[in-house]
Amino acid sequence: MNALAVIKAAEQQLKERFQQMEEVAYQNQAKIIESFKEHRVREYHFNTTTGYGYGDDGRDLLESIYAHIFEAEDAIVRQQLVSGTHAISACLFGLLYPGDQLISIIGPPYDTLGNVIGKEVAARGTLIERGIKYSEVPLDLNGGPDFKAIAESVTDKTTMVLIQRSRGYTLRPALNIEQIKRLVLTVKERNQQTIVMVDNCYGEFTDTIEPIACGADIVAGSLIKNPGGGLAPSGGYIVGKKELINRIAYHITAPFLGKSLGASLANKRLFFQGLFLAPHVVLQSLKGACLFARIFEVMGYDVYPKWDEPRGDIVQAIKFDSPKEVLEFCQIIQNCSPVDSDVNLEYAAVPGYSRPIVMAAGTFVQGSSIELSCDAPFKEPYSVFLQGGLTYEHCRYAAHLLIQRFNGI
Ligand SMILES: *Cc1c(COP(=O)(O)O)cnc(C)c1O
């Protein structure tokens, strides 16, 4: 079979799956249009502002819309948040005091957050160095949350628990909404006061329900992933309880300044329009992920998740035997990118990551992983973590080249 025939056969198989995902995208699209209508978005809301950024109505309106869509009391949506790690780190530093206890209840957190916490090296400025007590509850043997161990670990001294929705650089499945609900319930039953925080990176709009509606207190993510829709040029968001948002805003700017300051130097149309497009772009990524899963499964590789398994994020992991194959895979993704397509990739050190990592991201927005991109840390089992795709057609194009290489056609 030639590559196109392999793709067409996979698409035939995926038809029903695609329809289910289209329905989720439709519901999220409707939710967002209704929110824009209710908030009476106008062209002047897109304008840039300067200096202190007092009275930036568009910025405040965008935050109200985020709060509304994520069913939260309040939101921080800022271009000054430099990444997802920054948004999550701001929540941790804004809410935790020396002596407080933080537990990551679904195993180790994302690599960059391990460094923020100071898990391995409690360097100056990390949470542990500042006196925050940290522990982890490992996953169960199937790679899922260990509800019993979680219940036992949460006590009246637990200030906050951290839940990561996406798989990160592991082969465990992403959490689904039902699991997030049950995790919140498990923690709150033990201690009503414990703050439940969700790292929502890559999870937004993969379902019709978001973590705040599951009872989470605070949720954060990156605008150069799902909710930026591929248009947001930078930034992060945080949604949750008003009182918590206030404390985090005091940390991000300064006490008593909070959310009132912060000029919008970049045109805000990109943030509004990106959010408007986000459900559709997430759909493109999800369809692409299913296609990659199916074709690599057919070619005999282990894929996580499988094409017909539920998805709580946009990430597709594929396991290879060697770093050489991983590098070849990433190079193909790079070569079919609209930007920097001729760049040669290699494993290298990246700020915030302890291990060498290769990142294919020939993207319009630097490092944007809602655009078709792929990362692979230098560790066993050698796997690629593929995500994004602004158009399904781009994913299909990449699939074509990947089949030609990995099917030996
Ligand atoms: C991407 C990501 C982050 C944050 O990464 P940044 O590159 O700093 O935006 C955090 N957690 C998870 C699970 C992620 O996928």
Side-chain angles (χ1 to χ4, degrees), residues 261-392:
L261 275 72
S264 302
L265 301 178
N267 188 289
K268 288 189 295 283
R269 175 178 61 80
L270 299 168
F271 299 90
F272 282 95
Q273 196 175 359
L275 177 62
F276 172 79
L277 289 177
H280 181 72
V281 172
V282 167
L283 172 65
Q284 304 302 294
S285 300
L286 285 170
K287 283 182 171 176
C290 287
L291 178 67
F292 291 123
R294 180 63 192 158
I295 61 173
F296 273 86
E297 202 176 297
V298 168
M299 294 191 292
Y301 290 84
D302 288 334
V303 299
Y304 309 84
K306 294 198 194 323
W307 68 274
D308 55 349
E309 282 175 337
R311 285 171 190 267
D313 66 9
I314 61 165
V315 181
Q316 180 63 48
I318 304 167
K319 192 155 75 93
F320 289 100
D321 293 328
S322 67
K324 181 172 166 283
E325 273 183 307
V326 164
L327 209 51
E328 279 182 35
F329 183 101
C330 293
Q331 189 64 56
I332 291 173
I333 296 295
Q334 185 75 27
N335 290 150
C336 46
S337 300
V339 182
D340 291 335
S341 64
D342 56 338
V343 165
N344 279 323
L345 298 181
E346 52 187 67
Y347 284 100
V350 176
Y353 294 85
S354 330
R355 276 180 289 256
I357 188 163
V358 54
M359 292 183 169
T363 51
F364 291 100
V365 171
Q366 186 194 79
S368 165
S369 46
I370 187 62
E371 300 183 45
L372 182 60
S373 55
C374 152
D375 317 342
F378 193 78
K379 68 163 180 186
E380 288 190 63
Y382 294 103
S383 309
V384 298
F385 297 87
L386 185 67
Q387 65 272 314
L390 295 181
T391 69
Y392 173 71

Side-chain angles (χ1 to χ4, degrees), residues 83-85 88 110 112-113 164 166 168 199 201-202 222 225 353:
S83 65
T85 303
I88 297 161
Y110 191 73
T112 58
L113 294 166
Q164 182 181 303
S166 179
D199 169 355
C201 283
Y202 289 139
S222 166
K225 295 182 179 175
Y353 294 85

Side-chain angles (χ1 to χ4, degrees), residues 218-235:
I218 200 86
V219 171
S222 166
L223 296 190
I224 62 168
K225 295 182 179 175
N226 306 16
L231 290 186
S234 184

Side-chain angles (χ1 to χ4, degrees), residues 183-197:
L183 284 168
V184 174
L185 215 63
T186 306
V187 172
K188 296 284 184 183
E189 264 175 10
R190 297 285 294 177
N191 184 347
Q192 192 61 39
Q193 304 303 316
T194 300
I195 299 167
V196 176
M197 151 130 207

